[in-house]
Amino acid sequence: MPELPEVEVSRLGISPHLQGRTLVAMQVRQRQLRWPVPDEVIALCNEPILGVSRRAKYLLIHLSAGDMLVHLGMSGNLKLLPATTAPGKHDHVDWLLDNQTLLRLNDTRRFGAVLWQAKGSLHPMLAALGPEPLTADFTAEHLHLCCQKRSSAIKLVLMDNHVVVGVGNIYANEALFKAGILPTRPANSLTLAECAVLTEVVKQTLQFAITQGGTTLKDFSQVDGKPGYFKQELLVYGRGGEACTSCATELREVRLGQRSTVYCPDCQR
């Protein structure tokens, strides 16, 4: 599933091509994605595009009447193409632009979404979200306070969007390894000093992943079709049974919250 770096890479890729253009029309070939594409989106035409931002794993395409929320789901990706490009089997939504180009959403599994947020309102999917990890709002004090209320594994707390948004499975594995913290540790056992290390490592890991174009494991690719190169930088994720890059101990793999969790029994405490 695309995580925050992959969504941010998509935003960086499409924003220069959408900003200041006019959305001539929407073409929705498959309305039934994770949720039905709303009527307000289908009816959009001749709307100036004011900008593109991101909140958690949602892209927000800003128009005068409101915002389109785009979620890539498990297998979605966006491509910029000439307007005459014929659609493929899983090309479900097109944004037709005034310069004879289009933005196309391809989603094999149809777990993605295109939603509508009217001006002045807040979509329920964006309500009650925690701070963005790459902002000053994500602090050691905030993480420590959240951890003090939880006895569940720190990895699960780190992946909770009420605590901090966008830290998915890949980057939670990587950040906890770099911070030297065992992913199964009860969250309320972490000290403020450990939370300070972890928040800083989360920021560094996500930012580096963005500069590498995200992580391509199966479905994700950048807007220009290139893969993300952070896969080559993974230290623990997907490496269960292999040697730790720091101490050569065999990495162990367990399941936490139904997700693969890989760690080093010597380097992480």
Side-chain angles (χ1 to χ4, degrees):
M1 178 181 292
E3 297 185 14
L4 185 149
E6 290 74 55
V7 179
E8 180 65 11
V9 167
S10 293
R11 185 193 72 79
L12 292 169
I14 68 174
S15 185
H17 300 276
L18 268 62
Q19 177 93 33
R21 301 247 61 98
T22 296
L23 174 64
V24 175
M26 295 292 299
Q27 186 168 8
V28 180
R29 283 176 288 274
Q30 172 55 264
R31 186 170 186 172
Q32 189 58 52
L33 302 178
R34 185 171 183 180
W35 300 283
V37 179
D39 293 338
E40 294 92 335
V41 167
I42 294 173
L44 288 168
C45 64
N46 297 321
E47 281 276 347
I49 299 175
L50 307 179
V52 182
S53 66
R54 180 190 53 76
R55 179 67 170 118
K57 296 181 184 179
Y58 288 90
L59 291 169
L60 280 72
I61 301 175
H62 302 292
L63 309 172
S64 58
D67 310 311
M68 272 184 285
L69 278 60
V70 182
H71 196 289
L72 298 178
M74 296 184 70
S75 59
N77 60 75
L78 295 166
K79 295 288 187 295
L80 286 156
L81 301 164
T84 54
T85 307
K89 179 179 179 180
H90 302 294
D91 293 335
H92 302 313
V93 180
D94 287 349
W95 289 257
L96 302 174
L97 306 177
D98 61 342
N99 62 346
Q100 299 304 306
T101 64
L102 59 82
L103 177 68
R104 174 165 287 168
L105 173 65
N106 175 283
D107 189 358
T108 305
R109 301 186 188 183
R110 286 196 286 156
F111 286 164
V114 181
L115 305 171
W116 178 250
Q117 174 178 271
K119 188 174 183 179
S121 67
L122 182 64
H123 196 281
M125 293 299 172
L126 302 185
L129 291 177
E132 290 284 336
L134 296 177
T135 67
D137 293 331
F138 182 49
T139 64
E141 291 75 16
H142 166 79
L143 180 59
H144 189 244
L145 181 62
C146 292
C147 285
Q148 291 307 295
K149 304 173 185 177
R150 313 282 189 93
S151 60
S152 52
I154 179 57
K155 179 172 177 255
L156 299 180
V157 173
L158 199 59
M159 293 175 61
D160 184 343
N161 279 328
H162 295 93
V163 175
V164 59
V165 299
V167 184
N169 193 42
I170 296 172
Y171 301 106
N173 274 279
E174 295 296 301
L176 286 164
F177 174 74
K178 292 175 184 177
I181 297 171
L182 200 65
T184 55
R185 261 184 69 181
N188 56 15
S189 72
L190 267 67
T191 65
L192 179 59
E194 287 176 314
C195 288
V197 172
L198 185 53
T199 53
E200 184 59 30
V201 166
V202 166
K203 292 173 185 283
Q204 292 173 357
T205 302
L206 293 175
Q207 191 59 61
F208 183 53
I210 291 169
T211 65
Q212 295 296 301
T215 302
T216 294
L217 297 177
K218 183 179 179 183
D219 297 300
F220 175 74
S221 62
Q222 300 180 60
V223 173
D224 59 6
K226 295 179 181 178
Y229 295 104
F230 191 73
K231 181 180 179 181
Q232 284 72 38
E233 307 293 337
L234 295 174
L235 300 176
V236 288
Y237 181 83
R239 297 190 61 242
E242 299 180 26
C244 173
T245 56
S246 295
C247 71
T249 299
E250 182 178 312
L251 298 175
R252 295 181 185 172
E253 184 169 358
V254 297
R255 305 290 289 184
L256 280 177
Q258 308 304 312
R259 307 299 297 276
S260 172
T261 303
V262 182
Y263 66 94
C264 176
D266 282 352
C267 293
Q268 292 170 262
R269 292 284 185 264

